[in-house]
Amino acid sequence: MTFKMKLLVGTGALLSFAGGVALASGPAARTAAPEVKKHQVPVSKDGDIVLGLCDGETTMEVDGVKDGQKMTREQAQRVSGALMAEWLKKNPDANWDPVPLPAVAQAATPPPPKNPEAPRSPPGVPRTPEKPTAGGSVVQGGVRPESGGKDVKKQAGAPIQDGHTYGAFSERDEAIWAASTQAFVEEGNRVFHDGDLLGSTVAMSCDMCHPDASNTHPETYPKYQVQLGRVALLRDMINWCIENPVRGKPMADDDPRMRAMEAYIYAKRKGTALEYGKK
Amino acid sequence: MANKFRSIETKHYAERDAFFEDLKKLDRRAFMRVAGISAGIVAGMGLRSPHSFQLVNVADAQETKPRFSFAYISDTHLYEQKLNDRFVRAILKAVDDVNALDPQPDFVLFGGDLAQLGQASELKLGAQILKSIKAPVKMMVGEHDWFLDMGELWRELFGAPNYSFDHKGVHFVVLNSILEKDFWTEKKLTPMERMKIVAGLDNALQSRFEVGSEQREWLKKDLAKVDKKTPVIVFSHSPLYKYYKPWNFWTDDADEVQAILKPFDKVTVIHGHTHQLLSNQIANISFHGMLSTAWPWPYAPEGLPKLTVQMNRPDPFSQFDGCGNGRMDVLEAGLVNKLYNLWERNPITVRASYLTSGGKQDVPPRTKLPSY
Amino acid sequence: MRLSSGAALPLVALLYALTGYAEPPPRQPAQPPADLPPGVSPALWKLVVPASAAPTPEKVALGQKLFNDKRLSVDDTVSCATCHDENFGFSDGKPVSEGVKGQKVTRNSPTVLNAMFNASQFWDGRASTLEDQAKLPILNPREMGMPDEAAVVAKVKAIPEYQAEFRKVFNRDVNYDDLAAAIGAFERTLYSGNARFDRFIQGDSKALTDSERRGWALFNGKGRCNTCHAGNAVNPLFSDQKFHNIGIAAHKQDFVKMAREALKIVRTGDEKQIDELALETDFSELGRFLVTKQENDIGAFKTPTLRNIGITGPYMHDGSLATLWDVMDHYNKGGVSNPYLDGGMQRLGLTEPEIDDLVAFLYTLTDERFTKLNQKFLTQQRARKNQRPERDTAVAMGKKGNLGDLAPNPDLNVKNPAELGVYGTELSVKPAPAKKP
């Protein structure tokens, strides 16, 4: 493998429109929009695959894997590891979140692969730790699964405001909310770990660089994304990663996969304070 | 469904239609008809109980027996109907409610912000609708009524914004507490620009509300002739205390006004503007916030009086949830029990004893969810 | 995608972890059957079926027999199945049900299909469990007419086969609780979730026609149906299990007067009295109020499930709406105005083709085991499409009356609620392709 560094220049604003993330609505505004950089990876002399890292400058040629060929998951994991190591070398002071402990523990005992021969599929996705993600603040007192005539009489004397929508929620409702939310997050977990679902042509998936959605810092968006030359939302960066390291097609903003991944990434950062614009 | 069951709704719709039709033409002759039809609506809906009011039956002890009651409608924020009929429907619902009260209240307080942007069409529409209230109406001005023409039309329609009157042994004072120091001349704002800035909560462009020195002097003079044991009830659009400055839930000279009220034994301040269940007690003064008919406001991030029993978060899918009107029962003792007639939910009463006991007695039902 | 063990696993843990209730976890959940159809949620199954009530084959068999046995009624003419007839989707096809001696009750028979998932039973939710529910119609004078529990037990005990079977299943003498438990066990096998809609949501985009798909979009959008008839993979009932006044009760002319009278009377009623009031008198129209005695529940009835809705008409708690077109008309005009009308009820401005699309969609929610019946009802209902007593286009379109404003019609090319995925959430991501050869 050989590493090549290259400073990139802006190549026009076309990319952002193709990706469905227009900066402004009017055509006049479009022409005036700042140029958006595209990470132009150099072409390999041997016709090997060249991959770009999300800093927009680190690239790497994968020896022996021709452009258009698919890597196995193991090859891809090696490449992404090497790319990250290179980036860390270049940015010794970078504030790269360490992989959270639970993820390490999960990685140590991966579940058995469901489909070990499919090169781009995950070996089985570790479950997202179970957290109540919705409705945890409701206290007792409404109509409950157990409540019929008898319970109702007991509740009638309780000093709780009632007779309106939010007065009528029960533990059953909360459990349904929590399970529904969890199912949504779980869906994102699956996509996040599955190169096929991401449409990767190079067997890359998000978890390779972002185990447990670490270092996805969803709480910092919107922020000025240097590599894009404009202000980005989380979904813009997800799409950037899909297009670049993952080498897939960017998704529509409301693609169910995109929505699920956003859900997963936010869920993994539960409790983190919002800090839009943070570097 | 057999057709015979449709008579009530058909009649209801027909009358409403005529009512709205007439609202479109606001000449004097039309008004006479509107008033007639409006009374007709009330009669036609004779079956319609003022439901939330009836249920609250209180086996009041002798000393807390109500001396009389008055109802309120507040913060209706009317636009022209063709622009937004939701707020018009809401005020009509409130008018229906107070007209159906049995027994009728001694009067109905209108708590300010009749209009959304102080425009003639809005104020006149509101004036016409309020004329269909059966009981006498006591008007109070809000900032949304004022800052387009600095109260010119409002005064023309309703008279002086500050006045006082005595009723069954209680001295009532109505203040114009939404005055602001001039922030517009220097910025060269048009009247509508000024109005829209004042109409917004979360902008820092405007000054804060105040009663002002001139009106404080008037208040001192007005109260000078009142016995200190006479219960005093003050109507003020802004809260007359300092709740949350960034949203102008605030009266800059609140401390001065409170000082003027301090010598009196029983003082109650009833205010609009905040669109939420809100209660406070500062020394001898009990403060009661009123509901809006138009929309509920969230609680401010800080400064909420600790005696306030919050209302549950409103349901956005239910168009009138968190809104409503209410009734004040003036007790023999001179203080006020306040009933929030929340549409779409069960009514809530906040008693005078709850406030004067520092929250120890008669605690109103608590909320089920925290507000956000 | 099919929600397999995915969401079911964390559910129980979540339930207990949520708020740290002082009470210890009250029960262990039972294991759901492995072969649940796609439209039945294992998560919900676990939530609603305590281990103690898990249906065993013996209990189910006994319960089924009791369910169909007319001898549970006073004159051997009415069984549970009389009003919950499998041939009518476990309902009876009548506006209001008929009990012993041809007596009419005041409410429409709800389907037993998926009743096991209801948060409460009856239109007013006065029973909390299937077992509690099963006990009441047997004793109601207008339904099965037995005088009291002891009489039922004595009658069943006198039938030798039952005596033996109760002993075998419950290891004790016949008693009313066990009888209800057996019927409840049988009803816990009556889940249903194998509709054409389920195939669609699992990714077979051809399972629904264009009209039905448009209906699904309207259901989630302009029609506002999903506000109360919420459905998702965890809770696929299309019901919020809450109580709403949608103005059906207000069809009765003296509704408001009755409400005021009732405020005084029912405050002293016990459960049985409420049951009788509900079934025998006009007070039935007060709905949930009879149970909670809260003013805001006046005229409110439980949101029913929409699964199998095509075959379980006529509609509403009093069966007053004959077809789904009538139901659409009712909602389209914002219901019937009354002081207790739910604030979510607003006119909808649906056009006639949109109403057709919505009805078409609703007919896709019928379990495929009832396909023939579904077709029959659809044909019947369509045949009377021009008889529309509830239709009030002028109100629905805002030309008359004043029941609210509307948002402009959404541009479905920009955002189509039908394309968001499973039940409007995100589970439409197709599973990773299976191993390629």
Side-chain angles (χ1 to χ4, degrees):
Chain A
M1 294 183 200
T2 49
F3 290 105
K4 291 171 187 160
M5 314 296 237
K6 198 155 184 185
L7 256 173
L8 294 168
V9 287
T11 54
L14 283 172
L15 168 72
S16 67
F17 301 122
V21 277
L23 270 172
S25 48
R30 283 188 189 187
T31 41
E35 290 193 335
V36 171
K37 291 184 246 173
K38 177 167 180 164
H39 188 174
Q40 199 77 315
V41 294
V43 180
S44 160
K45 279 185 213 122
D46 309 324
D48 290 341
I49 282 186
V50 180
L51 293 176
L53 188 66
C54 56
D55 62 352
E57 49 186 48
T58 311
T59 58
M60 186 174 124
E61 186 176 329
V62 187
D63 284 343
V65 181
K66 302 295 172 207
D67 216 353
Q69 277 184 337
K70 284 168 183 170
M71 287 189 279
T72 64
R73 191 177 164 84
E74 287 67 35
Q75 277 175 319
Q77 181 76 69
R78 265 206 318 280
V79 173
S80 69
L83 272 170
M84 279 312 303
E86 185 63 21
W87 181 84
L88 284 169
K89 230 190 313 178
K90 287 194 319 198
N91 300 279
D93 303 324
N95 191 12
W96 184 256
D97 296 353
V99 175
L101 278 175
V104 175
Q106 279 168 359
T109 51
K114 272 186 205 149
N115 187 7
E117 286 170 61
R120 292 168 299 153
S121 288
V125 177
R127 298 198 56 77
T128 311
E130 289 148 13
K131 290 177 194 167
T133 49
S137 56
V138 181
V139 297
Q140 280 174 294
V143 178
R144 308 161 56 188
E146 291 79 12
S147 63
K150 275 180 215 155
D151 273 13
V152 161
K153 269 176 217 140
K154 263 187 269 164
Q155 289 163 16
I160 292 173
Q161 294 172 23
D162 215 334
H164 61 287
T165 309
Y166 296 105
F169 290 129
S170 62
E171 296 101 294
R172 170 193 160 112
D173 294 305
E174 290 177 29
I176 287 171
W177 302 340
S180 304
T181 313
Q182 198 59 29
F184 186 7
V185 167
E186 213 42 65
E187 205 52 30
N189 188 4
R190 207 161 61 86
V191 178
F192 195 84
H193 288 75
D194 191 325
D196 264 339
L197 284 177
L198 291 163
S200 175
T201 54
V202 294
M204 294 280 279
S205 55
C206 315
D207 60 301
M208 290 172 165
C209 298
H210 302 281
D212 250 358
S214 56
N215 233 58
T216 48
H217 37 74
E219 71 281 2
T220 63
Y221 296 97
K223 70 172 169 193
Y224 191 86
Q225 191 71 42
V226 180
Q227 294 85 351
L228 294 179
R230 61 181 171 85
V231 177
L233 294 174
L234 173 62
R235 70 190 65 156
D236 300 327
M237 271 321 283
I238 294 176
N239 261 338
W240 195 92
C241 284
I242 288 174
E243 210 178 352
N244 288 281
V246 173
R247 283 280 179 257
K249 288 182 192 168
M251 297 174 186
D253 282 355
D254 62 350
D255 187 301
R257 294 170 297 174
M258 175 63 81
R259 291 160 56 85
M261 274 193 288
E262 281 184 341
Y264 168 71
I265 292 169
Y266 283 122
K268 295 300 278 187
R269 300 292 280 188
K270 182 181 170 162
T272 312
L274 290 176
E275 241 185 301
Y276 84 97
K278 191 185 172 196
K279 281 177 209 155
Chain B
M1 192 59 44
N3 278 335
K4 62 177 173 163
F5 288 139
R6 305 188 55 197
S7 61
I8 279 188
E9 50 175 321
T10 308
K11 194 174 169 204
H12 174 78
Y13 286 139
E15 286 171 349
R16 267 293 154 89
D17 281 347
F19 192 36
F20 278 109
E21 242 350 276
D22 281 343
L23 283 177
K24 287 176 191 160
K25 346 177 186 96
L26 285 168
D27 60 82
R28 183 135 195 99
R29 215 152 33 116
F31 165 66
M32 298 311 287
R33 209 176 140 228
V34 169
I37 285 176
S38 175
I41 289 176
V42 175
M45 298 179 66
L47 293 179
R48 184 197 190 293
S49 86
H51 55 291
S52 296
F53 295 74
Q54 305 298 42
L55 242 185
V56 180
N57 106 51
V58 189
D60 279 311
Q62 202 58 20
E63 64 272 20
T64 59
K65 207 177 67 190
R67 179 191 292 226
F68 65 94
S69 295
F70 63 92
Y72 75 77
I73 299 172
S74 192
D75 295 84
T76 53
H77 293 269
L78 294 174
Y79 282 112
E80 264 185 283
Q81 198 207 353
K82 66 173 188 287
L83 175 61
N84 178 320
D85 75 358
R86 175 179 177 152
F87 297 161
V88 179
R89 274 181 284 133
I91 186 178
L92 288 171
K93 195 172 159 70
V95 169
D96 282 348
D97 276 353
V98 298
N99 278 345
L101 278 173
D102 183 20
Q104 273 287 291
D106 284 14
F107 59 87
V108 176
L109 162 66
F110 185 82
D113 286 354
L114 181 61
Q116 169 65 4
L117 295 174
Q119 302 183 92
S121 55
E122 300 166 351
L123 285 167
K124 283 179 179 166
L125 170 66
Q128 291 293 37
I129 293 173
L130 291 179
K131 277 176 189 163
S132 57
I133 294 176
K134 290 195 283 186
V137 176
K138 303 288 180 188
M139 287 303 291
M140 178 155 71
V141 73
E143 78 278 12
H144 287 253
D145 306 320
W146 191 263
F147 279 88
L148 185 64
D149 62 2
M150 302 310 287
E152 198 178 310
L153 180 59
W154 197 92
R155 279 185 298 240
E156 194 181 299
L157 289 168
F158 306 113
N162 57 316
Y163 56 99
S164 67
F165 61 96
D166 291 290
H167 185 78
K168 294 187 179 170
V170 177
H171 186 68
F172 286 88
V173 179
V174 185
L175 293 177
N176 175 3
S177 58
I178 49 82
L179 299 172
E180 292 190 14
K181 292 208 163 59
D182 185 340
F183 63 89
W184 48 89
T185 307
E186 192 188 51
K187 294 191 177 98
K188 297 194 173 63
L189 299 176
T190 66
M192 187 46 98
E193 282 171 335
R194 172 180 64 207
M195 179 68 247
K196 285 187 170 172
I197 286 171
V198 175
L201 276 197
D202 52 358
N203 66 60
L205 300 169
Q206 58 183 311
S207 312
R208 302 298 102 177
F209 291 145
E210 60 180 31
V211 174
S213 55
E214 196 182 324
Q215 205 177 170
R216 291 203 304 273
E217 281 313 310
W218 170 82
L219 178 63
K220 270 185 214 162
K221 270 191 211 132
D222 182 76
L223 291 177
K225 53 187 189 270
V226 180
D227 186 275
K228 301 292 178 279
K229 292 202 160 31
T230 303
V232 174
I233 297 181
V234 179
F235 295 154
S236 157
H237 183 71
S238 70
L240 277 195
Y241 60 92
K242 295 177 174 181
Y243 170 5
Y244 188 61
K245 196 168 183 178
W247 292 357
N248 224 354
F249 285 3
W250 190 268
T251 306
D252 236 17
D253 53 357
D255 298 341
E256 288 89 327
V257 178
Q258 287 170 21
I260 299 171
L261 296 167
K262 197 152 178 53
F264 293 85
D265 281 355
K266 312 272 186 199
V267 186
T268 303
V269 171
I270 290 167
H271 67 86
H273 188 58
T274 48
H275 302 203
Q276 57 193 217
L277 262 69
L278 190 62
S279 310
N280 196 7
Q281 178 82 31
I282 300 174
N284 61 326
I285 310 175
S286 301
F287 296 86
H288 294 281
M290 291 185 277
L291 294 171
S292 160
T293 63
W295 70 81
W297 256 326
Y299 288 98
E302 55 193 44
L304 183 68
K306 76 175 194 310
L307 278 178
T308 291
V309 169
Q310 300 188 19
M311 65 182 184
N312 243 77
R313 183 190 306 168
D315 176 2
F317 290 82
S318 185
Q319 56 185 335
F320 297 127
D321 191 24
C323 302
N325 47 38
R327 193 188 68 203
M328 305 285 175
D329 295 334
V330 182
L331 308 177
E332 274 307 336
L335 292 174
V336 162
N337 281 355
K338 146 182 76 172
L339 183 135
Y340 287 109
N341 178 38
L342 286 150
W343 297 328
E344 315 290 345
R345 17 177 126 175
N346 293 323
I348 293 171
T349 301
V350 178
R351 289 172 198 288
S353 51
Y354 167 72
L355 292 180
T356 52
S357 68
K360 290 190 183 69
Q361 291 168 23
D362 297 323
V363 183
R366 67 174 183 272
T367 177
K368 204 175 166 190
L369 290 175
S371 60
Y372 5 92
Chain C
M1 79 139 227
R2 160 90 186 275
L3 184 76
S4 56
S5 57
L9 278 171
L11 192 62
V12 179
L14 281 170
L15 183 56
Y16 298 140
L18 273 175
T19 38
Y21 295 127
E23 290 168 40
R27 60 191 188 198
Q28 287 294 312
Q31 267 312 312
D35 54 349
L36 286 179
V40 173
S41 155
L44 190 59
W45 200 99
K46 290 174 88 161
L47 184 62
V48 300
V49 182
S52 58
T56 62
E58 299 79 26
K59 252 199 252 181
V60 170
L62 175 59
Q64 183 165 16
K65 198 162 162 183
L66 290 163
F67 188 89
N68 289 301
D69 198 332
K70 292 181 174 169
R71 289 175 293 185
L72 289 188
S73 66
V74 70
D75 58 1
D76 297 351
T77 57
V78 174
S79 69
C80 304
T82 304
C83 302
H84 301 289
D85 183 348
E86 182 163 9
N87 297 319
F88 286 93
F90 289 91
S91 174
D92 62 6
K94 296 171 185 159
V96 291
S97 296
E98 285 168 30
V100 291
K101 304 185 185 88
Q103 298 178 90
K104 283 200 166 115
V105 301
T106 54
R107 293 195 184 155
N108 176 262
S109 163
T111 178
V112 185
L113 292 168
N114 291 326
M116 61 175 290
F117 297 114
N118 287 344
S120 61
Q121 306 295 341
F122 293 114
W123 278 102
D124 55 15
R126 66 187 180 279
S128 51
T129 62
L130 290 172
E131 285 77 6
D132 286 351
Q133 189 280 332
K135 289 174 178 177
L136 290 172
I138 301 174
L139 302 181
N140 190 287
R142 290 214 210 167
E143 295 185 71
M144 293 161 83
M146 293 297 285
D148 54 36
E149 294 184 10
V152 183
V153 171
K155 196 170 174 189
V156 172
K157 219 189 250 179
I159 304 169
E161 51 183 297
Y162 275 130
Q163 209 174 24
E165 273 182 66
F166 269 86
R167 191 146 281 288
K168 198 177 93 199
V169 176
F170 295 103
N171 201 24
R172 55 185 175 193
D173 250 6
V174 179
N175 64 68
Y176 206 55
D177 287 344
D178 288 349
L179 180 138
I183 293 174
F186 168 61
E187 290 173 331
R188 286 199 176 84
T189 65
L190 298 179
Y191 47 78
S192 159
N194 207 3
R196 200 144 52 77
F197 171 78
D198 295 308
R199 278 200 275 127
F200 168 73
I201 220 68
Q202 284 186 292
D204 179 1
S205 59
K206 294 205 180 78
L208 298 193
T209 66
D210 285 349
S211 164
E212 290 158 351
R213 273 215 298 268
R214 287 195 300 270
W216 176 222
L218 288 162
F219 186 91
N220 290 303
K222 185 181 175 186
R224 302 164 53 100
C225 315
N226 61 343
T227 302
C228 295
H229 292 283
N232 65 58
V234 174
N235 179 30
L237 295 179
F238 296 96
S239 161
D240 62 357
Q241 297 293 308
K242 299 289 180 274
F243 302 85
H244 304 278
N245 177 330
I246 59 167
I248 294 292
H251 282 131
K252 300 261 196 259
Q253 265 186 318
D254 56 350
F255 170 69
V256 179
K257 197 170 143 203
M258 195 164 64
R260 294 168 77 175
E261 263 173 55
L263 283 168
K264 294 174 205 151
I265 296 173
V266 297
R267 283 174 190 281
T268 52
D270 65 18
E271 233 174 307
K272 189 152 170 292
Q273 255 182 309
I274 291 170
D275 189 43
E276 282 170 11
L277 273 180
L279 283 149
E280 293 168 26
T281 72
D282 281 348
F283 283 106
S284 164
E285 292 305 303
L286 299 179
R288 181 66 174 167
F289 169 79
L290 291 171
V291 179
T292 64
K293 297 171 195 163
Q294 298 214 348
E295 182 181 353
N296 209 48
D297 284 326
I298 288 178
F301 292 86
K302 189 172 68 188
T303 310
T305 175
L306 295 185
R307 287 203 170 261
N308 303 301
I309 193 72
I311 57 168
T312 51
Y315 306 103
M316 303 301 168
H317 69 271
D318 56 0
S320 58
L321 304 188
T323 70
L324 288 173
W325 274 275
D326 293 335
V327 175
M328 296 308 111
D329 286 341
H330 174 82
Y331 285 115
N332 202 19
K333 65 184 178 190
V336 178
S337 178
N338 75 83
Y340 309 98
L341 187 70
D342 194 283
M345 294 292 290
Q346 297 162 30
R347 71 183 182 88
L348 299 173
L350 297 169
T351 63
E352 198 60 21
E354 286 174 330
I355 288 177
D356 289 345
D357 288 343
L358 268 166
V359 174
F361 161 69
L362 289 172
Y363 267 95
T364 69
L365 294 174
T366 301
D367 200 301
E368 294 196 285
R369 68 193 264 213
F370 297 111
T371 296
K372 259 192 191 156
L373 193 60
N374 202 41
Q375 198 50 51
K376 188 180 124 194
F377 275 99
L378 177 56
T379 311
Q380 275 176 13
Q381 291 199 7
R382 197 178 275 141
R384 41 167 299 167
K385 224 186 96 175
N386 293 324
Q387 262 174 278
R388 302 275 287 275
E390 293 300 314
R391 177 155 63 183
D392 195 335
T393 312
V395 172
M397 296 300 164
K399 296 198 174 71
K400 177 166 95 117
N402 198 283
L403 276 173
D405 35 27
L406 299 176
N409 267 8
D411 183 346
L412 293 185
N413 291 321
V414 172
K415 188 90 185 171
N416 187 338
E419 282 166 7
L420 266 188
V422 170
Y423 304 96
T425 66
E426 323 311 323
L427 299 173
S428 61
V429 178
K430 309 263 192 315
K435 187 170 79 177
K436 282 166 196 148

